[in-house]
Amino acid sequence: MSELSLRKVVKAYGTNRVVHGVDLEVRSGEFVVFVGPSGCGKSTLLRMIAGLEEITSGEIVIGGTVVNELPPRSRDIAMVFQDYALYPHKSVFENMAFGLRLRKRPEHEINARVAEAAAVLQIEHLLQRKPRELSGGQRQRVAMGRAIVRQPKAFLFDEPLSNLDALLRAEMRVEIKKLHQKLGNTIVYVTHDQVEAMTLADRIVVLQAGNLIQVDTPDGIYNRPAAKFVAGFTGSPPMNFLAARVGEGGRTLHLAGGIDLPVPARRVAECARHAGREVTFGLRPEHIGVAAAAEPDVARVRGSVVLVEPLGSDTLGLVRLGDRTDAGEMTGRFSPDAALRPGQPIDVALALSRFHLFDDKTGVAIRGADW
């Protein structure tokens, strides 16, 4: 296990800069996930850590050693790729042993390490098979086993589950989390799938266009997003956004479509600092439901159902707030018992204790210390 540091790391191709001065500290034994849309620089950043891409400027430090000039084989890391990168003519055993043979490790050590890794991954019965005889999930286990036998300072995973179907991907997420809990190694993991990021990570690094937007725990990323981009990238469905204006004294939020929402007492002081300001109002689907009896910090808004998506355990409903032509629409997560149908009038409950505000121009979150 080892700590990893990125210090003002920049990557540019000619005049095109794709990673913009990233600073990050990964603690020894930590599971950190890089997440963001395609083209945000997450795989490029991982490849620079591995030594597969040269950095333009900055420093990469692994275990206290600056590795900028070291080739990949000298960095004491192991990488698992999304396409498995197995040798088709070699058995599972030989694929897992290959790196150790290159390092001229003794045969008894090779046998012991491969056997130990195979036992951890439950693939002992596959050691004599060729990759073509394996399922996608089994191939991924072999690729992970090849990394484990190296006993590196850190593991790097580059979208390792992207080639698997949804059910197998969920199963492999569980296996990877178990593996980390068992081995305790430092892991840096790249994915575009926010569900993978939320379920696997100790901390999540959200990237946008080569910039580090937020580094936080899954709870912090989800419940305290630093920017509208982060809020909109996490959650399924993601957070709802509506244009709004903070009213006089910070006591009211004026939403598009003529909807006025009272600000809960504990948040009035903070909103008062932004009175008259144009903002983006955000609320997650699980904080929108069918209005019942009066509840504290819950606003009741008349609206109509636009679209219904039954999911079995719950139902997603797209609801138009109010009856004006410029009325905003928000997706809520409802009980199947609500029996929603398109065109149905509905009283919607908005949990105002859970709303977020973002700067209308920069997208940066507006919040006080007690939010």
Side-chain angles (χ1 to χ4, degrees):
M1 294 189 296
S2 188
E3 66 282 352
L4 166 69
S5 298
L6 306 180
R7 300 172 182 169
K8 302 189 183 310
V9 171
V10 171
K11 178 63 179 178
Y13 298 99
T15 58
N16 181 29
R17 183 177 287 198
V18 295
V19 175
H20 305 270
V22 169
D23 284 298
L24 178 67
E25 297 290 330
V26 179
R27 297 182 288 269
S28 182
E30 190 173 23
F31 197 133
V32 170
V33 177
F34 293 172
V35 69
S38 297
C40 71
K42 56 188 183 297
S43 288
T44 300
L45 203 54
L46 194 77
R47 290 174 64 83
M48 287 193 288
I49 296 171
L52 302 176
E53 291 268 5
E54 291 185 3
I55 71 171
T56 302
S57 63
E59 286 186 341
I60 297 176
V61 182
I62 301 176
T65 301
V66 177
V67 299
N68 291 23
E69 305 301 324
L70 294 182
R73 65 178 178 275
S74 301
R75 298 192 178 196
D76 199 12
I77 52 89
M79 192 159 179
V80 179
F81 298 91
Q82 67 183 72
D83 60 358
Y84 319 131
L86 302 177
Y87 295 103
H89 61 288
K90 294 181 181 292
S91 67
V92 168
F93 180 94
E94 289 302 327
N95 267 283
M96 292 174 65
F98 184 76
L100 298 178
R101 293 201 191 285
L102 282 182
R103 288 164 176 75
K104 303 187 185 304
R105 307 308 302 170
E107 196 66 23
H108 70 87
E109 181 181 341
I110 292 174
N111 291 334
R113 287 202 195 181
V114 171
E116 182 181 5
V120 168
L121 295 166
Q122 300 179 0
I123 55 173
E124 304 103 310
H125 61 296
L126 304 176
L127 290 177
Q128 299 312 312
R129 295 188 189 180
K130 299 291 177 58
R132 66 176 177 273
E133 302 173 80
L134 307 178
S135 68
Q138 289 170 336
R139 292 180 193 180
Q140 194 54 269
R141 288 172 189 263
V142 175
M144 290 163 57
R146 184 177 54 191
I148 290 171
V149 299
R150 293 263 311 278
Q151 298 179 351
K153 288 180 179 176
F155 291 103
L156 308 181
F157 287 80
D158 188 10
E159 304 206 44
L161 308 185
S162 61
N163 290 335
L164 305 180
D165 62 48
L167 180 59
L168 191 51
R169 187 180 303 162
E171 292 175 357
M172 287 304 299
R173 281 204 310 266
V174 172
E175 294 305 316
I176 290 173
K177 189 143 192 173
K178 285 181 180 177
L179 183 66
H180 180 247
Q181 290 174 348
K182 184 176 294 186
L183 301 180
N185 291 83
T186 305
I187 294 178
V188 179
Y189 186 107
V190 162
T191 183
H192 64 277
D193 186 334
Q194 51 96 9
V195 174
E196 279 181 36
M198 295 292 291
T199 55
L200 289 174
D202 294 323
R203 284 191 301 156
I204 296 173
V205 177
V206 182
L207 295 161
Q208 180 188 26
N211 293 292
L212 193 158
I213 305 300
Q214 185 173 359
V215 182
D216 210 332
T217 63
D219 176 70
I221 292 290
Y222 192 80
N223 292 309
R224 295 176 297 281
K228 180 182 175 182
F229 172 79
V230 177
F233 194 78
T234 53
S236 181
M239 185 179 290
N240 296 283
F241 299 112
L242 290 178
R245 180 173 56 83
V246 181
E248 185 178 348
R251 294 182 175 82
T252 307
L253 292 172
H254 304 289
L255 272 57
I259 303 297
D260 293 339
L261 301 179
V263 174
R266 71 181 182 86
R267 301 180 66 170
V268 167
E270 185 64 27
C271 282
R273 299 183 201 171
H274 307 284
R277 183 173 177 178
E278 300 295 327
V279 297
T280 298
F281 171 89
L283 195 63
R284 292 205 178 274
E286 58 267 32
H287 302 138
I288 301 171
V290 176
E295 300 175 70
D297 293 341
V298 171
R300 182 175 178 145
V301 179
R302 189 67 171 171
S304 59
V305 178
V306 176
L307 187 70
V308 180
E309 296 181 87
L311 299 178
S313 59
D314 52 23
T315 297
L316 299 180
L318 180 63
V319 177
R320 179 176 292 112
L321 304 181
D323 55 8
R324 285 173 35 173
T325 56
D326 60 344
E329 296 179 348
M330 305 182 82
T331 297
R333 192 178 295 276
F334 300 87
S335 166
D337 296 337
L340 301 182
R341 64 185 186 279
Q344 170 188 350
I346 187 174
D347 286 328
V348 183
L350 308 180
L352 296 184
S353 61
R354 307 303 296 270
F355 75 77
H356 300 258
L357 295 181
F358 304 92
D359 184 271
D360 199 40
K361 293 183 174 60
T362 66
V364 174
I366 302 169
R367 63 189 184 203
D370 62 336
W371 288 29

